[in-house]
Amino acid sequence: MPGQTPPASIPTPTAPPPDILRCAYMELVVTDLAASRNFYVDVLGLVVTEEDTEAVYLRSIEEFIHHNLVLRQGPVAAVAAFSYRVRSPQELDRAVAFYTELGCEVRRAPEGFTRGIGDSVRVVDPLGFPYEFFYDVEHVERLAWRYDLHTPGALVRLDHFNQVTPDVPRAVRFMEDLGFRVTEDIQDSEGTTYAAWLRRKPTVHDTAMTGGDGPRMHHVAFATHEKHNIIAICDKLGALRLSDRIERGPGRHGVSNAFYLYLRDPDGHRVEIYTQDYWTGDPDNPVVTWDVHDNQRRDWWGNPVVPSWYTEASPVLDLDGVPQPVVARTDTSEMAVTIGADGFSYTRPEDASRAQADDDVLPSWKQGEYKLGHQL
Ligand SMILES: [Fe+2]
């Protein structure tokens, strides 16, 4: 149930933020560990670094740190941590000071919260998300040269997280205080912001803020080397009669310019397969702002976005493992302003009058593209 709307602004701490390197791993709570292991290991090809009866620790082919994904058996499918690596062990002291000044719950585990990770700090941030910071980590074999192990759809890196939050500008201001930079966003002419992409590493993002009822986790994204690797994943899913795992795509994003595919895991957690965005490391990297009514912003080829992609997301947990209450978005929703009431057609501001005039907003042959059961 939506809770109370939090204060509109989050104060900027006087303490400096920790120097974050990159998104490093996500800890996912899953309700059937064997089913999830099958999906992430046998179908998607992530590499098992370590596992026991309670958890599986997975990494991508080019990774040298212990894991990029933890699957942990639990009662409610949710996210336990969005974990970031920082530049040095000293940055953990800064993380403690930064979040303590904001009045957030802060916990430190000198031996780590998960296997393979040393001294770590976990917080519930002012947006309600469980964030982790660490430097110390066990190094493992980087399998970049082990082509004997690569599969046609090999996942080579963790690329980014995507978070659902009701007030995107509020979230962006906070993330800028944490040291992130905006690379792209989606707005309208009234000044409503629907989503924003934020980076530490010099790619389009380490995380994105998507407007919606939150805090929730929209997706976690892994990179492949090439577009054809994504096509290979689709072919494999088809061959395994797992095409229902495909929620959206494959396609080319407008935002980020990346090639994409969205999958849903056995618990419904959304995973994006992503490749070939662009360098953003210059200090004057231009911010790209998209009009919400540009129907190429989410898919460069103009293919529609399935409604579930806008409405469904995973709960996030507090530091005791309790699902965080969800606050309703009050700003206009992107789905409401871009998908017609029939769940098919794309809407633009001028479409209402045009539709009345000729009832032909989209060509008839371009309507009805959603899978049965995915319509509103
Ligand atoms: Fe993404």
Side-chain angles (χ1 to χ4, degrees), residues 160 162 205 219 221 262 272 274:
H160 61 266
N162 189 306
H205 55 322
H219 61 266
Y262 292 97
E272 182 181 16
Y274 177 98

Side-chain angles (χ1 to χ4, degrees), residues 277-357:
D277 61 352
Y278 58 90
W279 167 263
T280 61
D282 286 25
D284 55 350
N285 179 68
V287 175
V288 179
T289 292
W290 296 80
D291 183 335
V292 74
H293 295 292
D294 181 344
N295 74 331
Q296 295 188 197
R297 76 201 182 291
R298 293 276 186 194
D299 185 284
W300 188 242
W301 308 331
N303 283 326
V305 178
V306 290
S308 63
W309 191 91
Y310 284 121
T311 58
E312 297 178 10
S314 299
V316 300
L317 303 178
D318 70 13
L319 301 185
D320 294 318
V322 177
Q324 285 281 74
V326 170
V327 176
R329 177 175 169 88
T330 54
D331 285 348
T332 320
S333 86
E334 184 172 342
M335 187 176 78
V337 298
T338 59
I339 295 184
D342 59 359
F344 296 128
S345 59
Y346 186 82
T347 65
R348 303 176 181 84
E350 66 274 18
D351 277 353
S353 55
R354 201 193 321 160
Q356 283 176 352

Side-chain angles (χ1 to χ4, degrees), residues 125-354:
D125 79 6
L127 306 173
F129 292 96
Y131 262 36
E132 180 185 86
F133 304 96
F134 72 91
Y135 175 78
D136 290 329
V137 63
E138 186 179 320
H139 285 209
V140 291
E141 185 186 2
R142 175 175 254 166
L143 299 171
W145 296 269
R146 289 294 306 275
Y147 287 104
D148 54 316
L149 301 179
H150 290 215
T151 62
L155 304 184
V156 296
R157 288 183 295 279
L158 176 71
D159 193 87
H160 61 266
F161 307 135
N162 189 306
Q163 304 169 235
V164 186
T165 191
D167 186 337
V168 173
R170 176 175 182 268
V172 166
R173 283 192 296 273
F174 169 67
M175 293 301 285
E176 288 175 332
D177 287 345
L178 186 57
F180 283 73
R181 299 172 70 111
V182 173
T183 56
E184 302 201 22
D185 62 14
I186 296 175
Q187 300 185 19
D188 65 16
S189 56
E190 271 95 64
T192 302
T193 303
Y194 295 88
W197 284 257
L198 298 131
R199 67 100 178 162
R200 285 293 302 175
K201 63 179 162 58
T203 63
V204 170
H205 55 322
D206 288 278
T207 194
M209 293 293 169
T210 298
D213 301 349
R216 293 184 296 164
M217 186 277 285
H218 193 274
H219 61 266
V220 56
F222 289 90
T224 61
H225 281 144
E226 304 281 352
K227 297 181 284 292
H228 66 76
N229 304 118
I230 291 180
I231 305 295
I233 292 170
C234 296
D235 283 340
K236 181 173 181 178
L237 288 164
L240 295 173
R241 290 277 157 184
L242 292 173
S243 64
D244 287 349
R245 293 265 173 255
I246 300 174
E247 182 187 37
R248 182 185 157 203
R252 167 80 68 189
H253 282 309
V255 173
S256 81
N257 195 34
F259 202 82
Y260 73 88
L261 172 70
Y262 292 97
L263 307 175
R264 303 294 288 272
D265 84 359
D267 281 297
H269 295 308
R270 184 179 291 106
V271 181
E272 182 181 16
I273 317 298
Y274 177 98
T275 191
Q276 299 175 341
D277 61 352
Y278 58 90
W279 167 263
T280 61
D282 286 25
D284 55 350
N285 179 68
V287 175
V288 179
T289 292
W290 296 80
D291 183 335
V292 74
H293 295 292
D294 181 344
N295 74 331
Q296 295 188 197
R297 76 201 182 291
R298 293 276 186 194
D299 185 284
W300 188 242
W301 308 331
N303 283 326
V305 178
V306 290
S308 63
W309 191 91
Y310 284 121
T311 58
E312 297 178 10
S314 299
V316 300
L317 303 178
D318 70 13
L319 301 185
D320 294 318
V322 177
Q324 285 281 74
V326 170
V327 176
R329 177 175 169 88
T330 54
D331 285 348
T332 320
S333 86
E334 184 172 342
M335 187 176 78
V337 298
T338 59
I339 295 184
D342 59 359
F344 296 128
S345 59
Y346 186 82
T347 65
R348 303 176 181 84
E350 66 274 18
D351 277 353
S353 55
R354 201 193 321 160

Side-chain angles (χ1 to χ4, degrees), residues 352-363:
S353 55
R354 201 193 321 160
Q356 283 176 352
D358 59 14
D359 197 33
D360 190 24
V361 176
L362 279 180

